[in-house]
Amino acid sequence: MDWTKQTALVTGGGSGIGKEITRLMVERGAHVIVATLMPQEIDELKQDLPEGPGSLTGIAIDLTADNAVSGLMQTLADKSLFPDILVNNAGSGLLGSHKDLDTRKVRNVLDLNIQVLTELCSLFARSLIERNQTGSILNVASIGAFVPVPHLAAYSASKHYVLAFTHALSHELAPHSIHVGALCPGITRTKIYDTMGLKAENQSQGSISERIDAFSMDAEEVAACAIKAIERKETQALPGINRLVPLFRLLPPRFTSWFMYKFVEGRNVS
């Protein structure tokens, strides 16, 4: 794959997995458009990225705002920026008993993880087809897409949606030579830790966050898996030992949910 001829749009590309995906693409010569909530992340990204051969365009935007997705696509068109790769990386989650979570924050998580991703796929695909252009979509799901996860109920449910949506969309867009795949990382050491309440300095021995941290991965390893997934047109990509997680689908969902619940039962979040 000749990355020097590629223009990519990466949502949530200012930190974590998205930042590492952006870095690898720029290193390979691509022009990467980063859409992120925090303007300072764009400045930090420009400072951290190596010089050439690729390039970077940063757009600060709240993708959950009304008409934000259509506004983003219009902004790109106005700038004559027409990406042929979309990485739907922006996402969030909340850790805790679902009944105790702030319902407004839960709504925001679902809007970002589901609605924004779904709308971007639609508008991006339309743009490619109108231009008679081939392309790729990589939706970032999670290993939580394969098992129901108590204390991450809404988050894991949203990732179930992303995986199912990706598989269905891949068949719809195949006749247009648009590849659609899903990246399913495990818990990754990124800023989403803070959102979920998994800050390392807050962890107590035997807590949920300590247990989760024991199985976490580095963003660099996950990003490398994402690049390979795009290059090899993989429909489903899982980094490292996470490749074994789909085997859980051979078990009844009630059992896996019970198993995950027992994994965290009686433990503090942090």
Side-chain angles (χ1 to χ4, degrees), residues 114-135:
I114 295 176
Q115 182 58 36
V116 169
L117 177 146
T118 303
E119 190 174 348
L120 260 174
C121 284
S122 177
L123 298 184
F124 177 76
R126 289 180 198 173
S127 176
L128 288 177
I129 294 169
E130 287 172 358
R131 293 182 284 118
N132 196 29
Q133 177 71 44
T134 62

Side-chain angles (χ1 to χ4, degrees), residues 203-212 263-270:
Q203 292 172 8
S204 58
Q205 187 172 4
S207 66
I208 296 174
S209 55
E210 184 190 48
R211 283 200 158 194
I212 290 176
F263 183 78
V264 300
E265 184 182 20
R267 299 176 183 273
N268 296 324
V269 171
S270 58

Side-chain angles (χ1 to χ4, degrees), residues 54-135:
S55 56
L56 176 74
T57 297
I59 298 176
I61 185 172
D62 179 1
L63 289 169
T64 62
D66 291 343
N67 302 315
V69 174
S70 58
L72 171 62
M73 296 303 292
Q74 186 60 54
T75 296
L76 296 182
D78 292 343
K79 295 178 179 290
S80 297
L81 294 173
F82 300 102
D84 36 42
I85 296 173
L86 168 63
V87 179
N88 268 312
N89 168 74
S92 188
L94 291 171
L95 177 66
S97 177
H98 184 72
K99 66 179 176 55
D100 297 328
L101 298 177
D102 186 320
T103 55
R104 291 171 297 179
K105 291 182 179 180
V106 173
R107 179 187 290 270
N108 190 68
V109 167
L110 297 179
D111 281 348
L112 186 58
N113 293 4
I114 295 176
Q115 182 58 36
V116 169
L117 177 146
T118 303
E119 190 174 348
L120 260 174
C121 284
S122 177
L123 298 184
F124 177 76
R126 289 180 198 173
S127 176
L128 288 177
I129 294 169
E130 287 172 358
R131 293 182 284 118
N132 196 29
Q133 177 71 44
T134 62

Side-chain angles (χ1 to χ4, degrees), residues 33-51:
I33 305 158
V34 168
T36 186
L37 177 64
M38 310 298 288
Q40 62 267 31
E41 289 184 346
I42 297 173
D43 296 331
E44 293 171 359
L45 186 57
K46 290 179 178 178
Q47 294 175 1
D48 294 343
L49 286 178
E51 293 186 6

Side-chain angles (χ1 to χ4, degrees), residues 155-225:
Y155 173 82
S156 64
S158 73
K159 296 305 182 178
H160 275 69
Y161 171 90
V162 171
L163 187 59
F165 174 72
T166 297
H167 285 314
L169 191 64
S170 68
H171 291 285
E172 290 187 20
L173 296 182
H176 301 285
S177 297
I178 300 172
H179 175 260
V180 186
L183 175 69
C184 303
I187 295 294
T188 308
R189 288 181 282 273
T190 67
K191 286 185 177 180
I192 199 172
Y193 257 39
D194 299 352
T195 306
M196 289 185 173
L198 295 171
K199 291 182 180 179
E201 62 268 24
N202 292 340
Q203 292 172 8
S204 58
Q205 187 172 4
S207 66
I208 296 174
S209 55
E210 184 190 48
R211 283 200 158 194
I212 290 176
D213 188 62
F215 294 94
S216 62
M217 305 179 68
D218 290 325
E220 294 86 348
E221 183 178 0
V222 177
C225 181

Side-chain angles (χ1 to χ4, degrees), residues 4 31-32 59 115 136:
T4 63
H31 178 201
V32 184
I59 298 176
Q115 182 58 36
S136 296

